[in-house]
């Protein structure tokens, strides 16, 4: 609609008033928006843009007017790109007279020239671009007859960069050395230098000249940002492909700047080499295969909204919104308190498929979203200050093992579908579908190089990333390194720094999803040819020596434990030693498998886990006889495996791979066998000479088993509804059912066969189903455990074997107490039996029997404590002694006491005194420390009472 001139007179009057009063820009903008809306002016307003720029240049070139202009742009009252176009024709040609204006113009470019979503989504998008063409004369300069908005946008971005380039050359006296000698962007409005001299004088003093130099450097760095930014570099790539003659002139001047610019050489943020790399690199988005886009295709791309889609996916909140479910899923998987029975690979495959279908994205965009989410997870974990220990290893496994397996499975699924279709209908080859996901993988990894901020590796793996980069550098330089050799730090190229993309690419090469042609991708190798090492490294790795037949010496064992295997044959070699080697060799091989190959052997991680689980289920020897389980003879080997995979990271990695059910199926026979054995036999462990008992092996296996299901949740959690009711959450029975189903899935389907093809041929997993009835002692303990949680504890029958074990446990727990009394297991007293000195001798019985009696001993101890016959400190000390004797008893201690606390039938016990002082004196300092920690996160809390803080600390 037509707006009367009085409206704009009012706007100018309002602006002049704000300028004189030095008003708050935000208040000015709100009042301006209200008056324009009342007058029926559509926002953002083209006329407002012209008015504000004309007002500033240069009669009102003062700080407050620039602040008002910036506020109008940030609140979308005026189109930012039109404002930049208007300023470019006024400010840049007059930058020597008005250097402050030039500096402010570039600040506006930095803020508003890299985001186009608001412009493209606006109703007046076409009119805005037509106005920009009228101002800058883009169609005339570039000779393009079709004035379509998308084409004009490409031309305008190109013109901004070219204008900054010419201005920089002119400022350093280099423009005369170009072929054209002058600039089409700087000469048209030089006469404006006479405007405004009287109202705003900027004398050419030392400060003036200093600002000129700073502006030149800033303009050069801004040019680099246009070349590096994902969106603008994509737009410039369109200009390069479809305006070759203009691009040639631009590159000629850019090379002139690179060779002769003093400002570029002195810049702290960029280098001449970086400029050359950005302009020679063909890594831009729209044509990864180097094909020139025809003018017809160029127009089609611009008219179809592809640019709009690309901007939306790659910039700011839109990209996050599309792939946020992946971020949330990955964050959930890092919850160490949760151990899942399903593979993160399978869950993530389903999620990726759903998002790809819903968002209608290409596969390379889908994979790119997956990489970015996983990289963000790694960066969060490397910088986190939460928790007792960092989870960097787990997050790296998610990036380099799980996500690579997700993509590998998707590609194999596509391959299996093609094979099935070909077998059903040989005449229908479906050629157009073949390799679509494979190409998407390659493109996504090439695009990933633009996200440098996410690719910085954690310190713990930086040397591994550098090795991957060095390997690629030597490959493209024509040098080969024999298998079994690694590069030392001294052998590496000077500038051969690797990042997480190098590790991702190596992971896919190891899984035969990529080949070494990936090393030739533009920008993948960052070291020049003259930096390549002269000679081939001469030091062999431990794994190479092993493969060449070297024995397992102590020094080699240390190397293999701390260095992950790089290939499946290396892991297979260690597995064969663990199966067929001597006793000491088996133990060493087991330790090696549980070392770095488990935690950081991302390319072979799932194989390593399966080998470990298989070692936990050794076959029955042909000469085995007797009723005792054959597993007892493998105690040292099994204990090394149990201890080796018990860390927080290891259990979480097992959970990520969905192999918890298989591990549970291997642990239950160990628990049943060692928990049923009488600890009369012990083993001496090399090299420490430590003695190993059946109780120790049982405790390690039983504790690990408990961590695989939600045992640690108290009955209160069930009551409050935080987890499902008793009996419906994860349980040993459920783990076995999932295990049976998982093994049964290895069927004859094409997809299953492709999946099995990746696994080691020497691995043989039993697919026979296993049920709880095979483990009667474990089943009985589990039933008693549920009874303990669900109901009050039943009394102990005197004179039974259980009663005798209870007395022995009480003597063990409270053998330090000597009160001259003869307590018993009834009422308020404790039994000491025939004597506390032989308590441990009397407890040389199967661990299952001890666990059966433990709740009764705990009940007697708590009863004595409630009647004053036992102090809280003595109770705590006794519990510690019990846990030291049989660590597996901690499970019963936790379940019993959590159940009793939930039932609330015991009176509070006083825990303050000489031996156990009150914590009240320390609460104030603890409160200050907690408040300091919270304040660092931006949370300010009021002072709380000591009771509330004590509650906080206890939980």
């Amino acid at each position: 609609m037509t707006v009367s001139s009085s409206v704009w007179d009012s706007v100018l009057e309002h602006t002049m008033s704000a300028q004189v009063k030095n008003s708050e820009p935000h208040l000015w903008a709100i009042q301006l928006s209200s008056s324009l809306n009342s007058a029926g002016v559509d926002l953002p307003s083209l006329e407002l843009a012209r008015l504000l720029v004309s007002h500033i240049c240069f009669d009102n070139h003062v700080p407050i007017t620039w602040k008002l202009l910036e506020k109008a742009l940030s609140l979308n009252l005026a189109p930012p790109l039109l404002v930049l176009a208007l300023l470019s024709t006024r400010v840049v040609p007059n930058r020597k007279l008005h250097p402050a204006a030039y500096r402010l113009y570039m600040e506006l470019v930095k803020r508003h020239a890299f985001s186009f979503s608001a412009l493209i989504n606006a109703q007046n998008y076409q009119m805005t671009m037509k106005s920009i063409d009228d101002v800058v004369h883009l169609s005339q300069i570039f000779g393009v007859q079709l004035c379509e908005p998308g084409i004009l946008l490409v031309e305008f971005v190109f013109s901004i960069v070219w204008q900054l380039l010419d201005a920089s050359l002119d400022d350093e006296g280099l423009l005369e050395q170009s072929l054209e000698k002058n600039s089409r962007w700087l000469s048209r409005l030089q006469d404006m230098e006479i405007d405004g001299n009287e109202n705003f004088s900027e004398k050419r003093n030392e400060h003036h000249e200093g600002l000129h130099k700073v502006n030149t450097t800033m303009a050069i760095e801004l040019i680099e940002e246009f070349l590096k930014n994902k969106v603008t570099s994509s737009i410039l790539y369109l200009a390069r492909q479809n305006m070759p003659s203009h691009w040639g002139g631009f590159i000629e001047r850019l090379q002139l700047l690179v060779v002769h610019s003093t400002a570029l050489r002195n810049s702290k943020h960029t280098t001449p080499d970086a400029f050359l790399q950005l302009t020679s690199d063909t890594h831009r988005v729209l044509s990864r295969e180097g094909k020139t886009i025809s003018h017809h295709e160029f127009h089609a791309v611009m008219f179809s909204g592809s640019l709009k889609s690309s901007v939306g996916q790659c910039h700011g909140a839109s990209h996050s919104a599309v792939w946020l479910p992946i971020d949330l899923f990955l964050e959930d998987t890092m919850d160490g308190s949760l151990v899942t029975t399903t593979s993160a690979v399978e869950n993530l495959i389903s999620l990726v498929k759903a998002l790809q279908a819903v968002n209608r994205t290409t596969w390379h965009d889908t994979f790119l979203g997956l990489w970015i989410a996983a990289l963000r997870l790694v960066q969060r974990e490397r910088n986190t200050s939460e928790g007792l220990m960092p989870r960097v290893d787990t997050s790296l496994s998610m990036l380099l093992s799980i996500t690579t397996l997700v993509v590998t499975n998707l590609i194999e699924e596509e391959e299996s579908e093609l094979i099935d279709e070909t077998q059903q209908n040989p005449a229908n080859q479906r050629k157009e579908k073949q390799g679509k996901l494979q190409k998407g993988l390659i493109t996504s990894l090439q695009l990933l190089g633009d996200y440098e901020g996410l690719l910085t590796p954690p310190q713990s793996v930086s040397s591994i990333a550098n090795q991957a980069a060095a390997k690629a550098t030597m490959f493209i330089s024509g040098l080969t390194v024999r298998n079994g050799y690694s590069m030392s730090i001294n052998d590496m190229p000077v500038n051969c720094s690797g990042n997480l993309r190098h590790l991702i690419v190596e992971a896919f090469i190891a899984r035969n999803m990529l080949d070494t042609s990936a090393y030739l991708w533009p920008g993948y190798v960052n070291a020049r040819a003259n930096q390549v090492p002269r000679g081939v490294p001469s030091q062999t790795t431990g794994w190479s020596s092993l493969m060449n037949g070297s024995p397992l010496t102590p020094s080699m064992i240390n190397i293999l434990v701390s260095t992950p295997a790089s290939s499946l044959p290396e892991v297979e070699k260690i597995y064969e030693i663990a199966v067929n080697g001597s006793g000491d060799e088996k133990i060493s091989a087991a330790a090696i498998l549980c070392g770095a190959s488990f935690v950081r052997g991302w390319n072979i991680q799932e194989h390593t886990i399966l080998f470990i689980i298989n070692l936990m289920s050794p076959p029955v020897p042909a000469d085995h006889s007797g009723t005792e389980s054959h597993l007892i003879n493998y105690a040292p080997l099994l204990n090394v495996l149990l201890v080796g995979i018990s860390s927080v990271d290891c259990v979480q990695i097992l959970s990520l791979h969905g192999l918890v059910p298989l591990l549970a199926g291997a642990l239950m026979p160990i628990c049943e066998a060692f928990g049923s054995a009488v600890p009369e036999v012990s083993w001496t462990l090399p090299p420490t000479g430590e003695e190993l008992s059946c109780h120790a092996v049982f405790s390690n296996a039983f504790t690990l088993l408990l961590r695989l299901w939600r045992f640690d949740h108290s009955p209160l959690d069930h009551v409050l509804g935080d987890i499902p009711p008793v009996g419906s959450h994860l349980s040993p029975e459920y783990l076995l059912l999932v295990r049976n189903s998982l093994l049964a899935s290895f069927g004859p389907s094409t997809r299953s066969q492709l999946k099995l093809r990746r696994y080691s041929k020497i691995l043989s997993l039993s697919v026979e189903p296993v049920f709880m009835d095979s483990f009667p002692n474990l089943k009985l303990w589990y039933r008693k455990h549920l009874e303990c949680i669900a109901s009050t504890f039943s009394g102990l029958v005197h004179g039974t074997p259980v009663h005798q074990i209870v007395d022995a446990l009480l003597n063990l727990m409270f053998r330090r107490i000597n009160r001259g009394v003869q307590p018993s297991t009834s009422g308020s007293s404790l039994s000491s039996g025939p004597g506390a000195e032989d308590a441990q001798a009397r407890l040389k019985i199967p661990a299952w029997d001890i666990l059966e009696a433990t709740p009764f001993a705990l009940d007697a101890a708590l009863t004595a404590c409630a009647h004053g016959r036992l102090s809280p400190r003595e109770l705590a000390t006794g519990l510690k002694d019990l846990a030291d004797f049989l660590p597996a008893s901690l499970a019963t201690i936790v379940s019993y006491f959590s159940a009793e606390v939930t039932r609330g039938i015991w009176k509070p016990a006083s825990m303050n005194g000489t031996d156990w002082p009150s914590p009240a004196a320390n609460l104030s300092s603890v409160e200050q420390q907690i408040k300091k920690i919270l304040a660092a996160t931006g949370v300010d809390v009021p002072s709380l009472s000591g009771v509330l803080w004590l509650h906080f600390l206890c939980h």
Side-chain angles (χ1 to χ4, degrees):
M1 62 177 291
T2 303
V3 181
S4 64
S5 59
S6 61
V7 172
W8 301 115
D9 292 338
S10 175
V11 169
L12 187 59
E13 181 180 351
H14 175 57
T15 302
M16 288 293 295
S17 175
Q19 179 180 332
V20 172
K21 297 178 182 179
N22 201 27
S23 300
E24 172 63 34
H26 191 75
L27 179 62
W28 167 84
I30 292 176
Q31 294 173 347
L32 179 62
S33 176
S34 176
S35 63
L36 291 177
N37 284 327
S38 299
V41 177
D42 294 328
L43 299 178
S45 169
L46 307 180
E47 189 59 34
L48 179 62
R50 298 187 185 96
L51 186 147
L52 293 176
V53 172
S54 178
H55 176 71
I56 291 176
C57 298
F58 287 96
D59 292 336
N60 296 281
H61 170 34
V62 291
I64 181 60
T65 56
W66 285 93
K67 292 180 182 179
L68 298 179
L69 177 62
E70 163 58 22
K71 186 57 64 175
L73 298 184
S74 62
L75 295 181
N76 203 31
L77 303 184
L81 288 192
L82 178 57
V83 170
L84 294 180
L86 293 165
L87 289 173
S88 70
T89 61
R90 291 165 168 81
V91 173
V92 181
N94 296 283
R95 67 196 178 284
K96 295 181 180 179
L97 183 64
H98 301 292
Y102 185 40
R103 175 60 178 266
L104 293 170
Y105 163 74
M106 287 190 289
E107 289 290 347
L108 292 178
V109 170
K110 288 174 65 176
R111 296 189 184 188
H112 299 285
F114 297 91
S115 178
F116 309 100
S117 51
L119 168 71
I120 296 174
N121 291 325
Q123 294 181 354
N124 60 353
Y125 170 41
Q126 187 165 356
M127 189 180 301
T128 300
M129 296 311 303
K130 179 64 171 63
S131 298
I132 290 175
D133 187 30
D134 293 337
V135 172
V136 191
H137 308 292
L138 298 170
S139 302
Q140 177 182 343
I141 291 174
F142 291 107
V144 178
Q145 300 303 316
L146 292 176
C147 297
E148 296 293 341
I151 298 175
L152 291 173
L153 182 57
V154 172
E155 294 171 346
F156 181 56
V157 172
F158 190 20
S159 73
I160 291 178
V161 182
W162 200 337
Q163 186 182 42
L164 289 172
L165 174 60
D166 282 2
S168 301
L169 290 171
D170 189 41
D171 289 344
E172 293 195 86
L174 301 174
L175 193 58
E176 289 291 326
Q177 300 182 32
S178 65
L179 294 178
E180 293 184 5
K181 306 297 183 183
N182 53 26
S183 171
R184 69 189 70 186
W185 310 107
L186 304 179
S187 60
R188 288 180 291 113
L189 294 175
Q190 292 291 339
D191 57 330
M192 285 192 62
E193 289 189 357
I194 63 174
D195 295 342
N197 287 348
E198 296 178 358
N199 295 334
F200 193 84
S201 177
E202 294 180 1
K203 298 179 179 180
R204 295 180 181 274
N205 51 27
E206 293 181 2
H207 172 72
H208 202 97
E209 293 299 324
L211 190 54
H212 274 308
K213 294 180 180 179
V214 172
N215 283 349
T216 301
T217 301
M218 182 177 179
I220 291 173
E221 293 171 356
L222 193 53
I223 294 170
E224 183 189 40
E225 183 60 28
F226 273 100
L227 296 172
K228 288 173 61 176
N229 180 271
K230 182 172 179 56
V231 178
T232 54
S233 64
S234 302
I235 294 174
L236 291 174
Y237 185 77
L238 283 173
R240 170 182 179 168
Q241 294 297 95
N242 295 275
M243 294 182 281
S245 61
H246 295 287
W247 184 264
F250 172 76
I251 289 299
E252 181 260 334
R253 298 193 176 201
L254 194 61
Q255 292 172 344
L256 183 64
L257 184 78
V258 168
V259 174
H260 298 289
S261 172
T262 302
L264 177 56
R265 287 196 300 271
N266 294 336
S267 173
K268 298 180 180 179
H269 303 288
T270 186
T271 64
D273 286 346
F275 264 76
L276 288 177
Q277 176 68 19
L278 288 169
T279 54
S280 63
D281 192 352
T282 57
H283 65 293
R284 293 302 141 217
V285 173
L286 295 180
S287 180
R288 286 288 165 173
E289 298 177 358
K291 296 179 180 178
T292 301
I293 304 174
S294 67
H295 280 283
H296 176 74
E297 292 171 320
F298 173 55
H299 297 158
V301 168
M302 301 309 297
F303 302 159
S304 66
S306 295
L307 179 61
K308 172 181 175 180
S309 174
S310 175
V311 173
Q313 291 172 16
C314 301
H315 199 83
S318 298
H319 184 280
S320 298
V322 170
W323 305 115
L324 182 60
I326 296 180
D327 285 272
L328 296 176
F329 171 82
L330 297 183
E331 194 61 37
D332 284 343
T333 61
M334 297 300 291
D335 185 351
S337 65
L338 301 179
V339 179
T340 60
T341 58
T342 55
S343 168
V345 175
E346 297 298 328
N347 292 333
L348 200 49
I349 285 174
S350 300
L351 180 58
V352 167
K353 284 182 177 179
L355 290 175
Q356 192 269 342
V358 170
N359 298 324
R360 298 180 180 180
T361 57
T362 61
W363 275 110
H364 73 255
D365 275 337
T366 304
F367 290 153
L368 184 61
L370 178 62
W371 301 133
I372 292 175
L375 286 167
R376 281 199 292 249
L377 177 70
V378 173
Q379 300 305 332
R380 285 197 298 271
E381 292 305 324
R382 68 176 289 188
N383 298 320
T384 185
S385 59
E386 301 176 2
L388 298 176
M389 61 183 67
R391 299 173 295 181
V392 175
D393 283 330
T394 307
S395 63
L396 285 169
S397 289
M398 175 60 76
L399 170 68
L400 299 171
S401 184
I402 299 302
T403 54
T404 54
L405 283 172
V406 167
V407 177
T408 298
N409 275 269
L410 286 169
I411 293 174
E412 287 183 348
E413 183 176 327
E414 180 190 48
E415 181 182 346
S416 67
E417 290 175 357
L418 292 169
I419 292 174
D420 288 341
E421 290 175 3
T422 303
Q423 290 176 345
Q424 294 175 6
N425 186 7
N428 181 17
Q429 299 296 323
R430 299 291 296 274
K431 289 291 185 182
E432 72 280 1
K433 186 178 179 182
Q434 190 168 4
K436 183 166 56 177
L437 272 69
Q438 180 78 26
K439 292 178 180 178
L441 166 63
I442 294 173
T443 303
S444 70
L445 290 176
Q446 290 173 332
L447 291 171
L448 192 59
D450 296 337
Y451 296 84
E452 294 181 4
L454 290 174
L455 297 176
T456 304
Q459 186 63 36
S460 58
V461 297
S462 59
S463 62
I464 304 176
N466 292 342
Q467 287 278 358
K471 178 183 175 184
T473 302
M474 296 188 70
F475 176 85
I476 67 171
S477 302
L479 298 178
T480 58
V481 180
R482 287 177 291 160
N483 289 335
Y485 289 85
S486 67
M487 300 185 70
S488 69
I489 298 299
N490 295 329
D491 293 321
M492 285 187 183
V494 176
N495 189 34
C496 199
S497 59
N499 57 36
L500 291 174
R501 184 170 72 139
H502 292 102
L503 295 181
I504 295 173
V505 169
E506 287 300 320
F508 278 108
I509 291 176
R511 297 183 186 279
N512 296 318
M513 290 290 111
L514 294 176
D515 56 34
T516 51
S517 63
Y519 299 157
L520 302 175
W521 293 345
Y524 188 80
V525 171
N526 56 10
R528 296 192 296 271
N530 60 358
Q531 296 174 326
V532 176
R534 299 290 182 183
V536 177
S538 59
Q539 184 177 6
T540 60
T541 66
W543 286 102
S544 302
S545 298
L546 176 74
M547 298 302 289
N548 291 331
S550 298
L552 286 177
T553 61
S555 59
M556 181 183 287
I557 292 171
N558 291 334
I559 293 174
L560 299 183
V561 168
S562 59
T563 307
S566 60
S567 64
L568 181 56
E570 293 173 348
V571 186
E572 290 176 334
K573 179 73 172 181
I574 282 293
Y575 174 72
E576 289 176 334
I577 294 175
V579 173
N580 303 316
S582 65
D584 290 346
E585 285 180 336
K586 289 181 177 180
I587 293 176
S588 299
I592 292 168
L593 284 174
C594 297
S597 294
F598 183 104
V599 178
R600 292 184 181 171
W602 308 295
N603 304 335
I604 41 86
Q605 198 168 64
E606 69 273 23
H607 305 290
T608 305
I609 296 174
L610 288 174
F611 282 135
I612 291 173
I613 293 175
N614 214 37
L615 285 176
M616 289 184 175
S617 304
V620 180
D623 58 349
H624 178 72
S625 60
T627 59
E628 187 179 67
S629 172
H630 72 287
L631 294 175
I632 301 298
N633 296 325
Y634 292 93
L637 173 67
L638 295 175
N639 195 67
V640 169
L641 296 170
L642 293 170
V643 174
I645 64 172
S646 293
S647 69
V648 174
D649 268 325
C650 287
V651 173
Q652 198 64 16
I653 290 170
L654 279 159
S655 177
L656 293 180
H657 284 277
L659 296 174
V660 163
L662 293 186
L663 176 61
L667 289 174
M668 290 182 191
I670 298 175
C671 293
E672 188 71 20
F674 285 89
S676 305
V678 178
E680 296 176 343
V681 180
S682 62
W683 300 265
T684 301
L685 299 179
T688 61
E690 178 187 357
E691 284 198 354
L692 178 68
S693 68
C694 289
H695 281 179
V697 178
F698 170 78
S699 292
N700 290 330
F702 188 64
T703 304
L704 182 56
L705 177 63
L706 294 183
R707 293 169 61 188
L708 304 185
W709 52 284
R710 306 187 75 168
F711 167 81
D712 60 315
H713 291 274
S714 68
L716 182 61
D717 295 327
H718 299 279
V719 174
L720 295 178
D722 290 340
I723 59 175
V726 175
S728 64
H729 57 283
L730 291 182
S731 63
E733 296 103 322
Y734 178 75
L735 289 173
L736 286 180
L737 289 175
V738 176
R739 176 230 177 238
N740 297 339
S741 176
L742 182 64
L743 292 175
S745 66
F746 292 102
S749 69
T750 304
R751 184 182 177 187
S752 295
Q753 293 304 308
L754 287 170
K755 185 176 181 180
L756 285 172
R757 190 176 63 188
R758 293 202 312 268
Y759 293 135
S760 171
K761 300 299 184 292
I762 69 172
L763 183 66
S764 177
L765 290 174
S766 173
V767 297
E768 293 298 319
V770 180
F771 302 98
M772 278 294 289
D773 290 339
S774 302
F775 317 110
N777 287 311
L778 175 61
K779 184 177 181 180
L780 177 63
W781 173 87
Y782 183 63
R783 181 170 60 82
K784 293 291 185 182
H785 165 72
L786 294 180
E787 291 177 359
C788 181
I789 290 179
S791 63
T792 56
F793 198 70
S794 58
L796 174 65
V797 178
H798 290 264
T800 62
V802 175
H803 179 240
Q804 297 173 8
I805 298 173
V806 171
D807 282 344
L809 287 174
L810 292 173
N811 282 305
L812 172 71
M813 296 168 64
F814 307 112
R815 61 185 181 274
R816 298 182 180 88
I817 303 173
N818 184 11
R819 296 183 178 178
V821 296
Q822 196 71 21
S824 67
T825 50
S826 62
S828 61
S829 299
L830 298 173
S831 174
S832 62
E837 66 279 354
D838 64 342
Q840 290 201 31
R842 290 161 52 207
L843 287 173
K844 285 190 176 294
I845 56 176
W848 289 120
D849 295 342
I850 297 175
L851 290 184
E852 182 183 4
T854 297
F856 297 100
L858 298 176
D859 184 67
L862 194 59
T863 301
C865 188
H867 287 80
R869 305 297 296 174
L870 192 68
S871 72
R873 178 181 174 83
E874 290 165 341
L875 174 60
T877 302
L879 295 176
K880 178 181 180 300
D881 289 342
L882 175 58
D884 288 341
F885 172 71
L886 184 68
S889 63
L890 277 171
T892 302
I893 294 173
V894 170
S895 61
Y896 172 79
F897 278 104
S898 61
E900 294 302 302
V901 169
T902 302
R903 285 189 273 272
I905 60 177
W906 301 96
K907 295 180 181 180
S910 175
M911 300 179 68
N912 301 330
T914 303
D915 293 335
W916 201 324
S918 169
N922 298 322
L923 283 181
S924 177
S925 62
V926 173
E927 176 182 351
Q928 293 304 317
Q929 293 179 34
I930 294 176
K931 291 177 69 176
K932 183 178 180 180
I933 294 173
L934 293 176
T937 65
V939 178
D940 189 18
V941 296
S943 179
L944 302 179
S945 67
V947 174
L948 289 178
W949 278 113
L950 182 59
H951 176 80
F952 179 84
L953 290 171
C954 292
H955 287 78

